């Protein structure tokens, strides 16, 4: 795998003509506002900037080497995920959230991850580029929302890597009987501040800095080390599961030990919100789709296989852990190894410690590989500082991004608590996947822009597509829902999606906080529950009543809009189970992102520069502008079998 600079943004001839026509049309419209109200015009122009869409290239042009097969992508996904849940979450969820029912938390989290993975797969196939979720949102929702998604992905990767480093540090400290922790607490002190660690973890920071240097200088070595680490991890995990079931004691799930679900349904869902951390490696697979030989075939298989393997491993290991020892006696810092030590199998516990260190270092390296790539794509579009596009001259790695983000990740690992890191990682991932599901709905009901270049996802039938335009009401339903047919194509879909998200938030708040925080009476609880549920179902029906796009020979999310809508609902429901401190820190991070966007990104955006170049271009007729743009773009020969469609009058 090679990393090169982000591709220069290019547009197709028809895209340039369309922009010129749109500019001429806008300039020809009579002013609808009085001259005395310039502020309203400025506000409208400002809102247009926030919602401007990026034109995605249908041709697959990339400077990256196409070297990843289905097996490579599967190994990448499993390697980036398999250590997180097994060694970070199993003990924490069992001891503090759900008890033995933690395995049900992993099942719920796996279901939410499956629906999110289906949406992510359609994105990765449709847009085989690094930062595909960001680009997909840029093309469907607009620039501000795309920056919002990219900023969330950065938060997710930063806290995910820091959480893995802290747990790796804890396992290494356990080998030396926690002497590192005792020394730090004795000489630095103990912190009693919410969301901060009990003591600063300098060992975790050292691990991150070393991994950053390793990634920045030996990228080829890190790429072939991944399969080796993964093979060792899978063998050890299989051994843990087999030996754990042989040593299982069903009495540990008995009422005398607290029962199977001592924290009830709310504990299971709270654990599921945290367990989502264990399944977020598939987005790293999507981020590598640009280097795949055949993304249309490789991406769905790689994501499905990696998610299935990780879900099975997490559920089985969580089951084994609470059958080995009572859940209330676990040490969350190194629960799996501690369970074998308590059963007298110290050699197995030591093997688990060494394997966990190896697996978590592999996850850490995967995070450090994916994070600078996302920032590089964001900077290439002008929405972030251009210094992050600089590459190492020999390894072609975004060296500035690796080192700067590595230092920031190390700073977070020193200061923040393990649970805080995991929850911030989860909330950013869940919100990102919610936007991805909404983007799938929007683009599925939106007419694809025309293109003369080779398109890997062509519509099924041109004549049928022209007769049944996506976003229009289905002909069979027009006699019954004719009042919806008066809106322009896509407008009703956008409003229905907004209502669906709002009703999902209301429904989630009623289910989570109705009895506790809101203190609703029974009739009020039932009324809000019914109203929000009916509104959610009605908006879903309105979406399903409209025509969708269909593509040949490529993966599509099944049962749209039902699958993305359920993904949105479940993601919101899980997010509401996270702590208020998590939401507070997340809000602060979003405010920092808004400062970056409005202070830098909105002015340096490539889309903004293109608009300014159109406005400041020499005045002339539309035909002169088109003729100036069209010939150089049509110079290359077209691909065989793809004839340019004549422009409609």
């Amino acid at each position: 795998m090679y990393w090169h600079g982000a591709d220069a943004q290019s547009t197709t001839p028809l895209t340039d003509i369309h922009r010129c026509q749109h500019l001429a049309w806008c300039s020809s419209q009579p002013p609808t506002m009085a001259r005395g109200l310039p502020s309203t015009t400025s506000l409208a122009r400002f809102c247009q900037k926030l919602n401007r869409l990026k034109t995605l290239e249908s041709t697959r042009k990339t400077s990256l080497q196409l070297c990843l097969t289905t097996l490579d992508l599967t190994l990448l996904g499993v390697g980036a995920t398999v250590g997180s849940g097994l060694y970070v979450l199993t003990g924490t969820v069992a001891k503090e959230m759900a008890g033995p029912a933690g395995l049900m938390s992993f099942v719920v989290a796996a279901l939410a991850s499956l629906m999110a993975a289906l949406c992510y797969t359609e994105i990765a196939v449709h847009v085989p580029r690094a930062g595909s979720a960001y680009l997909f949102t840029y093309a469907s929702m607009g620039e501000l929302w795309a920056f919002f998604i990219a900023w969330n992905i950065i938060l997710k990767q930063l806290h995910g890597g820091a959480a893995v480093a802290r747990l790796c540090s804890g396992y290494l400290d356990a080998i030396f009987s926690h002497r590192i922790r005792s020394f730090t607490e004795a000489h630095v002190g103990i912190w009693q501040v919410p969301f901060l660690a009990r003591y600063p973890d300098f060992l975790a920071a050292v691990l991150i800095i070393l991994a950053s240097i390793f990634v920045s200088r030996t990228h080829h070595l890190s790429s072939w080390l991944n399969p080796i680490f993964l093979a060792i991890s899978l063998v050890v995990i299989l051994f843990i599961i087999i030996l754990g079931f042989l040593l299982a004691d069903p009495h540990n799930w008995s009422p005398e030990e607290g029962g199977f679900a001592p924290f009830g349904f709310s504990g299971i869902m709270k654990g599921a919100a945290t367990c989502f951390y264990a399944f977020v490696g598939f987005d790293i697979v999507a981020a590598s789709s640009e280097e795949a030989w055949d993304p249309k075939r490789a991406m769905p298989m790689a994501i499905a296989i990696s998610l299935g393997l990780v879900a099975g491993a997490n559920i089985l290991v969580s089951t084994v852990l609470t059958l080995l020892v009572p859940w209330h006696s676990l040490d969350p810092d190194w629960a799996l190894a501690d369970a074998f030590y308590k059963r007298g199998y110290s050699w197995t516990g030591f093997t688990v410690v060494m394997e966990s260190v190896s697996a978590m270092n592999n996850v850490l390296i995967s995070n450090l590989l994916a994070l600078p790539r996302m920032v590089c794509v964001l900077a290439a579009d002008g929405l972030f500082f251009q210094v992050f596009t600089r590459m190492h001259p020999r390894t072609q790695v975004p060296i500035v991004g690796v080192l700067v983000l590595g230092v920031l990740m190390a700073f977070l690992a020193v200061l923040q608590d393990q649970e805080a890191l995991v929850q911030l990682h989860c909330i950013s991932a869940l919100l990102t996947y919610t936007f991805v599901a909404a983007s799938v709905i929007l683009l599925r009901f939106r007419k694809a822009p025309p293109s003369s270049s080779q398109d890997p996802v062509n519509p099924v039938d041109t004549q049928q597509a022209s007769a049944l335009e996506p976003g229009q009401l289905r002909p069979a339903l027009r006699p019954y829902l004719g009042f919806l047919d008066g809106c322009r194509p896509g407008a009703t879909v956008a409003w229905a999606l907004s209502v669906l998200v709002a009703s999902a938030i209301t429904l989630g708040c009623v289910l989570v906080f109705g009895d506790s925080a809101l203190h609703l009476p029974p009739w009020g609880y039932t009324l809000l529950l019914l109203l929000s549920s009916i509104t959610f179902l009605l908006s879903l029906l309105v979406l399903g009543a409209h025509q969708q796009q269909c593509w040949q020979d490529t993966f599509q999310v099944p049962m749209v809009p039902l699958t993305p809508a359920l993904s949105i609902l479940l993601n919101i429901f899980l997010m509401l189970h996270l702590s208020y401190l998590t939401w507070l820190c997340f809000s602060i991070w979003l405010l920092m992102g808004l400062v970056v966007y409005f202070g830098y990104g909105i002015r340096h955006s490539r889309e903004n520069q293109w608009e300014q170049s159109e406005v400041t271009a020499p005045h002339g007729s539309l035909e002169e502008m088109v003729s100036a743009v069209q010939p150089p773009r049509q110079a290359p020969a077209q691909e065989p079998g793809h004839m340019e469609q004549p422009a409609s009058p």
Side-chain angles (χ1 to χ4, degrees):
M1 283 189 299
Y2 288 93
W3 277 1
H4 299 283
D7 297 339
Q9 183 178 3
S10 60
T11 56
T12 60
L14 291 179
T15 304
D16 290 333
I17 297 172
H18 175 71
R19 292 193 183 213
C20 295
Q21 292 174 344
H22 178 71
L23 182 65
W25 181 87
C26 292
S27 62
S28 65
Q29 296 303 303
T32 58
M33 300 294 294
R35 293 184 178 180
L37 298 175
S39 58
T40 306
T41 305
S42 302
L43 180 61
R45 188 181 301 113
F46 179 73
C47 293
Q48 289 177 357
K49 284 187 175 183
L50 300 182
N51 295 307
R52 55 194 170 199
L53 303 179
K54 183 180 180 67
T55 302
L56 295 180
E57 287 298 309
S58 57
T59 53
R60 193 183 178 204
K61 298 176 181 178
T62 177
S63 61
L64 300 179
Q65 183 181 4
L66 303 181
C67 57
L68 297 181
T69 63
T70 303
L71 179 61
D72 295 328
L73 292 170
T74 303
L75 294 178
L76 183 64
V78 177
T81 313
V82 73
S84 304
L86 289 172
Y87 306 110
V88 177
L89 300 178
T90 50
T92 302
V93 172
K95 178 69 177 291
E96 302 173 0
M97 299 179 185
L103 68 95
M104 299 304 300
S105 298
F106 278 103
V107 171
V108 175
L111 180 61
S113 301
L114 175 61
M115 290 186 289
L118 291 174
C119 299
Y120 236 103
T121 303
E122 180 168 325
I123 288 178
V125 172
H126 192 74
V127 189
R129 294 286 187 272
S132 54
Y134 152 75
L135 293 175
F136 210 67
T137 308
Y138 210 157
S140 60
M141 293 186 175
E143 184 174 281
L144 177 61
W145 301 111
F147 180 86
F148 183 75
I149 288 300
W151 198 247
N152 273 304
I153 293 175
I154 294 172
L155 175 69
K156 177 173 70 69
Q157 298 289 355
L158 281 174
H159 284 82
V164 169
R166 277 197 71 95
L167 192 85
C168 186
S169 169
Y171 270 83
L172 289 174
D173 191 22
I175 298 177
F176 301 101
S177 302
H178 300 288
R179 294 177 183 174
I180 300 176
R181 180 177 66 185
S182 301
F183 178 83
T184 306
E185 291 178 351
H187 291 79
V188 178
I190 298 176
W191 297 342
Q192 300 291 342
V193 181
F195 236 58
L196 292 185
R198 178 182 172 87
Y199 64 94
D201 195 340
F202 298 109
L203 179 58
V206 171
L207 292 175
I208 294 175
I209 296 299
L210 291 177
S212 301
I213 297 174
F214 176 77
V215 168
S216 64
R217 300 186 62 85
T218 56
H219 178 255
H220 294 288
L221 182 61
S222 62
S223 63
W224 65 259
L225 276 178
N226 178 62
I228 296 177
F229 283 146
L230 179 59
I232 297 174
S233 297
L234 293 179
V235 170
V236 174
I237 290 171
L238 184 61
F239 171 74
I240 290 172
I241 293 172
I242 295 175
L243 181 61
F245 275 113
L246 292 176
L247 299 175
D249 184 5
H251 179 73
N252 294 326
W253 287 8
S254 65
E256 290 80 5
E257 299 292 346
F260 178 73
F263 298 93
F265 179 76
S266 61
I268 294 175
M269 299 309 299
K270 183 179 179 181
T274 304
C275 289
F276 199 83
Y277 173 82
F279 299 97
V280 294
F282 60 82
D283 57 349
I284 295 180
V285 179
S288 304
S289 60
E290 192 170 357
E291 301 169 62
W293 279 107
D294 184 9
K296 290 190 295 183
R297 177 180 178 273
M299 298 305 301
M301 294 183 62
I303 291 178
I305 295 173
S306 59
L307 185 61
L309 288 175
V310 171
N314 282 306
I315 293 170
L316 290 175
V317 170
S318 178
T319 303
V320 163
L321 178 63
T322 53
L323 286 174
L324 281 173
V325 295
W327 61 270
H328 50 76
S329 65
L330 291 171
D331 184 353
D333 292 335
W334 59 313
L336 197 56
D338 181 57
F340 282 104
Y341 273 110
K342 289 180 178 178
R343 293 298 299 269
Y345 288 80
S346 57
W347 60 274
T348 305
F350 182 79
T351 303
V352 171
V353 169
M354 299 308 297
E355 146 49 28
S356 64
V357 172
S358 172
M360 286 183 287
N361 274 289
N362 193 28
V363 175
L364 178 60
I365 291 174
S366 298
N367 274 273
L368 288 171
L369 287 172
L371 178 58
R373 180 187 296 265
M374 180 69 255
V375 177
C376 184
V377 172
L378 193 65
D381 280 337
L383 298 178
F384 204 59
F385 307 110
Q386 293 298 302
V387 68
F388 287 94
T389 61
R390 294 183 181 179
M391 300 289 171
H392 191 280
R394 180 175 59 86
T395 61
Q396 291 299 307
V397 171
I399 183 67
V400 176
V402 171
L403 296 181
V404 171
L405 296 171
V407 171
L408 181 56
M409 186 185 294
F411 180 75
L412 293 174
V414 169
L415 295 180
Q416 284 195 298
D417 178 60
Q418 177 73 40
E419 183 179 356
L421 292 170
V422 171
Q423 290 206 4
L424 280 169
H425 179 90
C426 290
I427 193 173
S428 57
L430 287 166
L431 194 59
T432 299
Y433 300 155
T434 301
F435 272 88
V436 167
S439 298
V440 168
I441 294 176
L442 282 178
L443 283 187
R444 187 68 73 85
F445 291 96
R446 178 177 294 172
K447 183 179 179 180
S451 176
S452 59
S453 54
Q454 182 181 358
D455 194 343
V457 284
N458 287 319
V460 175
D461 191 331
T462 305
Q463 296 180 354
Q464 183 181 4
S466 60
L468 300 175
E469 183 178 349
Q472 288 185 337
L473 198 63
R474 296 179 185 270
L477 299 176
R478 286 175 182 172
Y480 310 100
L481 300 174
F483 63 94
L484 296 176
D485 205 19
C487 303
R488 62 180 175 85
T492 305
V493 171
W495 280 104
L497 179 60
S498 301
V499 173
L500 184 141
V501 174
S503 60
I505 295 174
T506 305
L507 180 59
C509 290
V510 171
L511 291 174
V512 176
F513 306 117
D515 293 331
S516 57
L518 299 178
H519 301 292
L520 293 175
W523 65 267
Y525 179 87
T526 305
L527 180 62
L528 282 178
L529 187 63
L530 287 176
L531 288 177
S532 56
S533 301
I534 292 173
T535 305
F536 182 85
L537 292 176
L538 287 177
S539 59
L540 187 61
L541 291 175
V542 170
L543 288 172
H546 288 78
Q547 189 66 33
Q548 302 181 30
Q549 288 193 65
C550 293
W551 293 284
Q552 286 181 332
D553 302 327
T554 187
F555 176 83
Q556 286 188 284
V557 179
M559 295 186 295
V560 173
L562 178 61
T563 301
L566 290 178
S567 179
I568 291 172
L569 178 61
L570 188 53
N571 291 341
I572 292 174
F573 185 66
L574 293 178
M575 280 191 289
L576 293 174
H577 279 87
L578 299 173
S579 67
Y580 73 94
L581 285 176
T582 302
W583 281 95
L584 178 62
C585 292
F586 181 68
S587 301
I588 294 173
W589 174 259
L590 293 185
L591 290 176
M592 294 170 58
L594 291 177
V595 171
V596 172
Y597 176 73
F598 289 109
Y600 180 87
I602 193 172
R603 292 181 291 108
H604 295 82
S605 167
R606 284 201 169 190
E607 296 296 318
N608 184 58
Q609 294 174 1
W610 173 260
E611 292 176 358
Q612 290 181 349
S613 66
E614 287 180 334
V615 173
T616 58
H619 295 285
S621 64
L622 177 62
E623 290 77 8
E624 292 175 354
M625 297 172 67
V626 172
S627 61
V629 173
Q630 187 172 356
R633 301 288 189 177
Q634 290 183 338
Q638 294 181 357
E639 293 292 332
H642 291 268
M643 300 300 294
E644 182 179 358
Q645 298 178 357
S648 59

